[in-house]
Amino acid sequence: MTNSLRNIFTGPALLGLVLSVTPLLMSSWITYYAVTHEAQIAQFTTSDWALSTAVCSLGCAFALMLPTPLALIFGYFIGWRATLPLFIINMLAILLVNLVVRRLDNDRVRRMIEENPKAARILTRIREQELKFIFFAKLSPALPFSLTNMVFSLSGASLRNILLGGFLGMVPRTLLAIWTGAEAHHIRTLLDNPNQDATSQIAVIVLLVVSVGGLVSVLIKAWGK
């Protein structure tokens, strides 16, 4: 491996580690905070949630938070009303990362990669199915949100494909996380009031389990092709 390629992959590898670990730790702290301050957060007004959406958009853009734990928290407190704020957080974070990275990098990384014939061929193949590649990368829970945003921007991927693929890929994950958070709130209510009618709650739990199993099955088949 040439020195130039070594520099390409060593620096980003370190940065990739930071972009993977930092939001995970911060999201864990936010989740803990939400649990320990549930009563206060439950009193949030529409303005409070709007401000939270703006702050979380910046947090996700700069690798301080993860969208999925936020979807669980938003879903827990405001249910399906969390759908719009969560999509704003996802899309705004993707857009901000793209604009910042392209402004700072100015396609230097892409040009360095293309200097290596093998790397250039791989990049060309990926670009032939760019939208599909971005969609599955965003669909996969295993790939860090901030890291994929940075990689797609550095690789010179089309902003249209990044936004569209990111939106389509995050839809099932975000909706499932909101649903899980919303139902967790109902389940907690059920446990706190065991004498109320549990039929609808049990039906929701069954549907949740089936949906998760179906989603995992689809993902395994998709990645296996």
Side-chain angles (χ1 to χ4, degrees):
M1 184 182 290
T2 65
N3 288 333
S4 61
L5 280 178
R6 190 175 291 110
N7 290 334
I8 289 175
F9 293 110
T10 302
L14 220 57
L15 182 58
L17 182 63
V18 173
L19 292 177
S20 301
V21 174
T22 303
L24 184 62
L25 294 176
M26 188 66 175
S27 295
S28 298
W29 180 83
I30 291 171
T31 302
Y32 171 78
Y33 182 88
V35 170
T36 55
H37 294 78
E38 181 178 348
Q40 295 94 315
I41 297 175
Q43 301 302 317
F44 273 16
T45 63
T46 301
S47 298
D48 293 327
W49 285 111
L51 178 60
S52 299
T53 299
V55 171
C56 291
S57 297
L58 293 173
C60 289
F62 295 103
L64 296 176
M65 304 175 191
L66 292 172
T68 301
L70 290 177
L72 287 167
I73 294 170
F74 274 59
Y76 181 84
F77 286 103
I78 59 176
W80 287 108
R81 288 180 295 161
T83 303
L84 179 59
L86 262 299
F87 282 125
I88 290 174
I89 289 172
N90 279 291
M91 292 298 98
L92 190 55
I94 291 173
L95 179 61
L96 286 173
V97 169
N98 186 270
L99 295 177
V100 171
V101 168
R102 292 196 176 188
R103 181 65 180 268
L104 296 178
D105 178 68
N106 199 26
D107 286 339
R108 284 192 296 269
V109 169
R110 180 182 61 79
R111 289 195 296 268
M112 290 176 69
I113 293 174
E114 289 177 345
E115 289 176 1
N116 180 275
K118 184 180 291 186
R121 281 196 300 273
I122 293 173
L123 192 60
T124 299
R125 291 195 194 106
I126 290 175
R127 282 181 181 154
E128 290 172 357
Q129 302 185 70
E130 188 174 80
L131 181 59
K132 185 185 292 185
F133 183 81
I134 293 171
F135 167 73
F136 282 115
K138 283 299 181 184
L139 190 62
S140 171
L143 297 177
F145 178 80
S146 303
L147 181 60
T148 53
N149 290 340
M150 185 193 71
V151 169
F152 293 143
S153 299
L154 288 173
S155 69
S158 158
L159 178 57
R160 173 188 173 279
N161 286 339
I162 292 176
L163 290 173
L164 181 57
F167 175 78
L168 295 175
M170 294 299 293
V171 164
R173 291 174 56 185
T174 301
L175 293 182
L176 183 59
I178 293 173
W179 187 14
T180 303
E183 296 316 314
H185 193 285
H186 295 325
I187 293 167
R188 180 164 182 171
T189 302
L190 175 63
L191 294 175
D192 291 340
N193 302 277
N195 293 324
Q196 70 178 18
D197 183 13
T199 305
S200 61
Q201 303 298 340
I202 293 173
V204 167
I205 295 172
V206 171
L207 288 175
L208 181 59
V209 172
V210 171
S211 69
V212 171
L215 182 59
V216 170
S217 175
V218 169
L219 287 174
I220 291 174
K221 291 178 181 178
W223 283 106
K225 290 182 178 178

